[in-house]
Amino acid sequence: MNSKEIAYLIHYSRKRKGISQKELGEITGISHQIISRYEKGVEVPTEEKLQLILSVLKIDLNEVLEVSIEINEMFDNLLDDLFYRKADYEKYYTIIQENKKRYQKNYDYYKILVMELIYNIHYKNTEEIDSLIYDIEKREIQDQKVLQIYYEYKGYYLLKKKNTKDGLEYLDKAKLQRYDEKTIAMIHFHMSFAYNYEWLRKTDAEYLLDAKNVFQKYYSLKRVSDCEMILGNYYSTYRNFEKAIYHYKMRLKLLDFEKENNKNTMNVHSTLACIYIEQRQYEKAVNEMDIACKYGKIDKRDHLQYIWCYYKLGDINNANSWIVKMNHFHLDRELKMLWNLYEMIVAQYDKVPNDRLIEKAIKVYEYYKNQEDLELSIFYIDIVIELLEKRKDYEKGFFYQKEKIFLLENM
C-alpha cells in the first residue's frame, strides 16, 4: 500500500469508529500530531505501528487488500463490457449496493463512484449524477485510466444535455490521459453525440469512421452497429440521403447478425421511411413502415408518416384511417398540433387550402424553426410552400422559398 492508501484507510476507519485523532493517539501511544501526519500522507507508519492502529480500529489488512483487488477487477471488467456494449448495468449496480460498506473504507472507492456515475448516466438519473460528480471531484484522482473514464463520461453526459462546448472540452481532456486505440475509439464515439452533429460535421465524420474501424478490428459489432446508425443520422441531417441509406442498411445487417432486439430494427425501418418521404418515394416509405410494424408497436409519430404518405399517394381513405387511429392516443401538445395540421391537410385534399390551414402550417414550421430543428423546419417549410402553390399565392410562396434557401445554407 502506498502513503495515500494508508492515509485514507486510517482517516476513514477512525471517522467511522467515531474517535478523534487524540483519542486514537491515547489508545495506541502514538501522538495525535503523528497520526495527523499519517492521515495527510505526509508520513508513513512503520509496519508495527500500522498493525497497532488497524487492530484498534478493528481493520483486517488482508481484507482491505482483497477488496482493492475486487474493485479493480470489477472496474476493468466494466470497461471491457462497455467497449463491447454488453454491460449488465443492473448486475454491477447490485454488486456495488450489496458491498458498499466494504468498498467505502477502501482507497479505491473513487472507482466505485465512477462506476455508479456511468450507471446513472445510462439511466438518466440527473440528481444522482450531479451528486456523484460533486463527490468525485472532491477526491484527488491520480490514476490516469480512472481520470480518463471520468472525463469521458462527464463529457458524454454534458453532450446529452446539449452542452456541446463543455462536453467536448471534457472529452478532449479524456484523450490527454490515455492513448491506446480502444480508449480513443470510445472517446470519438461519445464525441459523435455533440448536439446537431456539429462535431461530426467539423471532422467530416472522420473520427467516427476511425472508431468504427477499431470496433470492427476487435469484433465489437454492437458498437459498429451503433456507429452505422449515427452515421446514417448524420448524413440524413445534411441531406446526403444516398450515404444515409447505405449506413442504415448496414445497421440492419448487423442487427440481424447480432440478433438484436426488435425495437432497434423497427426504428431503422421507420427512419428509412423518413428518408424515402424526403425523396418523395412514398410507396417505398409505406413499405418500410409496413416492415417496421412487423417488429412491434410503432411510435405515435410514425402514424404521421403513414398519413402523409397516403395523402401524397392520393389514398385518402387510408390517410383518414390513420388519422382516426392516431386520435385514439393521448397526444402531447406537440403531437396534437401536428395531428391537427395533418387532419386539415387531408380534409382539404381536393380543395384550395383556406387561411386557417395556411396559418396552421406556418405555425408548425415556426415551432420547429424556434426549436432549431433544421430537418423538421425544412420538411414543414416545404409543406407551407406546397400549400401556397396549390392556392396560387406565388408572392408568399416566393418568400418561403427564399427562407428555405437560407435554412439550407445554414445547415
Side-chain angles (χ1 to χ4, degrees), residues 35-79:
I35 287 175
S36 175
R37 287 173 66 81
Y38 292 163
E39 291 189 6
K40 290 175 181 176
V42 175
E43 188 174 330
V44 179
T46 63
E47 188 176 339
E48 183 184 352
K49 286 184 177 179
L50 177 61
Q51 289 293 350
L52 176 60
I53 293 169
L54 295 181
S55 66
V56 170
L57 298 174
K58 292 185 167 45
I59 299 296
D60 182 339
L61 187 57
N62 288 329
E63 184 189 346
V64 170
L65 295 172
E66 286 173 8
V67 169
S68 187
I69 292 169
E70 184 181 325
I71 290 173
N72 282 288
E73 284 183 352
M74 184 163 59
F75 190 82
D76 289 339
N77 287 339
L78 175 61
L79 296 192

Side-chain angles (χ1 to χ4, degrees), residues 259-298:
K259 307 298 180 192
E260 281 265 13
N261 65 56
N262 289 344
K263 186 177 179 181
N264 287 336
T265 304
M266 179 178 69
N267 287 342
V268 181
H269 284 292
S270 172
T271 306
L272 278 167
C274 290
I275 299 290
Y276 289 129
I277 289 171
E278 290 279 4
Q279 294 182 311
R280 293 176 166 77
Q281 298 184 55
Y282 301 111
E283 288 182 359
K284 280 189 174 183
V286 169
N287 182 56
E288 291 295 336
M289 288 306 305
D290 287 344
I291 296 171
C293 286
K294 293 176 184 177
Y295 287 94
K297 188 176 180 182
I298 60 172

Side-chain angles (χ1 to χ4, degrees), residues 1-13 39-41 59 63-65 67-69 71-72 101-113 139-143 146:
M1 296 178 74
N2 62 38
S3 61
K4 286 189 175 294
E5 291 171 325
I6 292 170
Y8 179 87
L9 180 61
I10 296 172
H11 176 76
Y12 179 84
S13 303
E39 291 189 6
K40 290 175 181 176
I59 299 296
E63 184 189 346
V64 170
L65 295 172
V67 169
S68 187
I69 292 169
I71 290 173
N72 282 288
K101 287 183 179 178
R102 290 173 63 235
Y103 294 155
Q104 278 177 332
K105 57 190 175 188
N106 196 285
Y107 176 75
D108 289 320
Y109 182 61
Y110 63 90
K111 296 175 185 175
I112 296 296
L113 293 176
R139 298 165 186 269
E140 291 181 16
I141 300 177
Q142 294 183 334
D143 184 321
V146 180

Side-chain angles (χ1 to χ4, degrees), residues 3-26:
S3 61
K4 286 189 175 294
E5 291 171 325
I6 292 170
Y8 179 87
L9 180 61
I10 296 172
H11 176 76
Y12 179 84
S13 303
R14 178 181 62 76
K15 286 280 190 182
R16 191 165 180 81
K17 199 158 181 66
I19 61 175
S20 67
Q21 289 177 344
K22 187 177 180 181
E23 288 169 326
L24 180 59
E26 288 171 355

Side-chain angles (χ1 to χ4, degrees), residues 109-122:
Y109 182 61
Y110 63 90
K111 296 175 185 175
I112 296 296
L113 293 176
V114 172
M115 292 174 73
E116 285 191 290
L117 177 68
I118 293 169
Y119 169 87
N120 283 288
I121 287 172
H122 179 75

